[in-house]
Amino acid sequence: DSEKIQLIDLKESEIKDIASLKGGYRSIHFSNSEDYVVLSHDEALTLVNLVDKEVIDLPIALKGIKYTPFLYGEAVYFSNNDTSEYHNIYKIAYGKDTITSSLILARDRDLRLPKYDGNRLYYLEIDKSQYLLKAFNPGDKEIQEYTSQGVVYDYSFLEKDRIIYTYSDLHRPKSIRVIQKFGSSSMDIVSDRVDHTIKAEYREVNKIPTYFLRDGKCQDDALVGMVFYF
């Protein structure tokens, strides 16, 4: 059965049918400046022109799911592992004459949630079960690290070169933070900080990243619990 994709126009209070396509949808990204939406479904990426409703199936030879596609200019950025152990970041450009795909960034760990803005690629790097927010400059190949611990769940771009992101770590169960794109210090917008003496010790258990927790005030080495993600 086909699934109907709709766009809600809040200004006009109108619901518009975009497309009706088959497949299990995973994510969708809308670009107001480009008048396109990109859909990730099954192992494919599909572009839909919001003006003439043209549906374009992007030809990609990569195997596997194309995660969290992001539209910028005439290109789509996405995460995929093809035949690799790790998820890398790819770009597919859809000009009027040709459609080309290329590898943008690969590391010895998973890279997820790519977004492009200005001249830099932003993404989450998964390191020891921590989701770290970073930016990559394709020009000089430099990488800027915004977070060095904890989990960034999602992020968006704001005016005045700022990034807003949702975040948690051992001392912040939930928070919303803002950081300058070219800065290093974050500001809490919403935060419930918890002060305690619990310490986290990273280990790999059967090749699974695991954190063992213990009270830092204890004199012995007794480990009292473990979590897989926080």
Side-chain angles (χ1 to χ4, degrees):
D1 294 336
S2 297
E3 293 184 8
K4 183 181 293 185
I5 307 300
Q6 297 179 318
L7 179 66
I8 301 176
D9 189 330
L10 298 178
K11 184 177 181 180
E12 302 295 334
S13 298
E14 182 182 1
I15 299 178
K16 301 177 181 179
D17 291 339
I18 297 176
S20 182
L21 302 172
K22 293 183 178 181
Y25 290 94
R26 297 186 177 275
S27 59
I28 180 171
H29 182 246
F30 164 68
S31 173
N32 188 45
S33 61
E34 303 301 328
D35 289 323
Y36 276 101
V37 295
V38 60
L39 310 168
S40 172
H41 58 105
D42 294 330
E43 295 188 3
L45 287 179
T46 297
L47 274 175
V48 180
N49 189 311
L50 298 178
V51 177
D52 59 17
K53 302 300 188 295
E54 179 186 10
V55 177
I56 306 170
D57 291 321
L58 298 175
I60 307 174
L62 300 171
K63 299 179 180 179
I65 299 168
K66 286 69 181 176
Y67 288 98
T68 57
F70 184 84
L71 279 165
Y72 185 86
E74 293 187 333
V76 178
Y77 298 83
F78 60 94
S79 174
N80 174 263
N81 67 334
D82 192 27
T83 58
S84 169
E85 179 181 356
Y86 301 106
H87 284 79
N88 305 313
I89 296 176
Y90 295 86
K91 168 186 175 181
I92 181 165
Y94 56 93
K96 293 183 178 179
D97 300 323
T98 60
I99 297 178
T100 58
S101 60
S102 57
L103 174 65
I104 300 299
L105 183 62
R107 306 270 283 171
D108 59 351
R109 53 183 67 98
D110 286 323
L111 308 179
R112 294 294 188 96
L113 204 60
K115 300 183 182 183
Y116 204 92
D117 191 59
N119 296 316
R120 303 207 297 177
L121 172 72
Y122 298 81
Y123 62 95
L124 299 183
E125 181 171 309
I126 305 175
D127 183 13
K128 298 177 181 177
S129 293
Q130 300 181 103
Y131 287 60
L132 310 178
L133 177 59
K134 299 188 178 185
F136 170 69
N137 187 326
D140 58 20
K141 310 301 181 184
E142 296 229 351
I143 293 178
Q144 180 176 353
E145 183 179 85
Y146 293 105
T147 62
S148 59
Q149 62 181 10
V151 175
V152 174
Y153 297 94
D154 198 2
Y155 64 97
S156 299
F157 303 121
L158 300 177
E159 296 178 345
K160 299 181 180 180
D161 288 329
R162 295 176 299 166
I163 304 171
I164 186 169
Y165 61 98
T166 53
Y167 174 84
S168 72
D169 61 23
L170 199 58
H171 290 277
R172 292 181 179 85
K174 53 183 178 181
S175 65
I176 299 176
R177 315 187 82 190
V178 171
I179 192 171
Q180 291 288 332
K181 288 183 180 177
F182 304 101
S184 57
S185 60
S186 294
M187 178 177 65
D188 286 323
I189 302 299
V190 177
S191 179
D192 292 324
R193 181 177 175 84
V194 178
D195 292 318
H196 53 71
T197 58
I198 295 175
K199 294 183 178 180
E201 178 185 340
Y202 175 80
R203 297 182 186 178
E204 285 197 5
V205 180
N206 297 325
K207 298 184 178 180
I208 299 175
T210 307
Y211 284 88
F212 287 81
L213 306 179
R214 64 184 177 88
D215 191 334
K217 292 183 178 180
C218 292
Q219 299 300 317
D220 55 30
D221 293 328
L223 302 176
V224 297
M226 66 178 180
V227 294
F228 291 98
Y229 299 96
F230 60 82

